[in-house]
Amino acid sequence: MLRKTKTIWSIIFFIAALCLSSCSPSSAMAKTQEAEAADSQPVLKTAIGDLVIASARLVDEVNGQKSQPEGKILLVILTQPGKENLTPGEFKLEDFQKMIQESNGEIYVSGKEDLQIISTMAGWVEDEFAMGFMVPVQDSYTLHWPENDPIALDVQAE
């Protein structure tokens, strides 16, 4: 359902961009694309700056660590607004880990059973920055982050 809504909004923004580009300078297209990205990804206000969720997926193994037999590893891929991926040299893992530790368990995911599952790992998975959560397999998950509204995750299976 969320994917259909995103698709519809993408088509609407694309049509609006075409109309605007025929009536104004080419910079209108770039502004429309930025607005589309901002609307589709809620911004997480954090102690180390703004972050957005690029994607979320369930996997059996990541960087040599395997999930428990009855569960999966939920990877929440994070980036900054306007960026496809974070840059390892510019984004400091140590600052991120310190922020997570200082949250005292207030950064977590929940599922249907309203379990609070904290992140057990964070770091680079190939060229993406991810938070990892050991979760039971469920239909839906929600990310909770202090001073932000809960975010329903659109989780893809591997």
Side-chain angles (χ1 to χ4, degrees):
M1 180 69 180
L2 184 59
R3 185 176 288 234
K4 289 180 184 178
T5 303
K6 286 182 181 179
T7 302
I8 290 169
W9 278 108
S10 295
I11 292 169
I12 290 170
F13 278 105
F14 180 73
I15 291 170
L18 286 176
C19 292
L20 289 172
S21 67
S22 65
C23 300
S24 59
S26 62
S27 65
M29 179 74 106
K31 289 180 183 176
T32 302
Q33 289 172 341
E34 288 174 17
E36 177 184 352
D39 288 343
S40 66
Q41 300 176 7
V43 175
L44 288 168
K45 300 291 183 185
T46 76
I48 61 170
D50 293 348
L51 298 172
V52 293
I53 299 168
S55 65
R57 62 184 177 264
L58 292 171
V59 299
D60 293 317
E61 182 178 343
V62 62
N63 293 343
Q65 188 168 2
K66 295 183 181 191
S67 64
Q68 298 171 352
E70 68 280 354
K72 296 275 187 180
I73 299 172
L74 171 62
L75 293 179
V76 177
I77 310 302
L78 298 173
T79 189
Q80 293 169 324
K83 291 188 175 183
E84 186 175 333
N85 289 322
L86 294 173
T87 306
E90 297 171 9
F91 185 78
K92 304 240 184 284
L93 176 59
E94 297 81 17
D95 293 344
F96 183 84
Q97 289 174 329
K98 181 180 176 188
M99 176 190 62
I100 296 296
Q101 290 172 346
E102 290 175 354
S103 79
N104 295 317
E106 291 185 52
I107 298 171
Y108 63 92
V109 295
S110 62
K112 285 192 301 186
E113 299 168 5
D114 206 28
L115 297 172
Q116 294 183 358
I117 304 165
I118 62 170
S119 176
T120 56
M121 61 188 87
W124 302 100
V125 179
E126 296 178 13
D127 63 342
E128 299 174 313
F129 184 80
M131 289 182 71
F133 301 85
M134 295 284 199
V135 296
V137 177
Q138 296 185 355
D139 293 336
S140 64
Y141 302 93
T142 302
L143 178 67
H144 301 266
W145 201 291
E147 300 179 26
N148 290 276
D149 291 334
I151 299 173
L153 299 173
D154 182 18
V155 178
Q156 309 297 315
E158 184 178 68

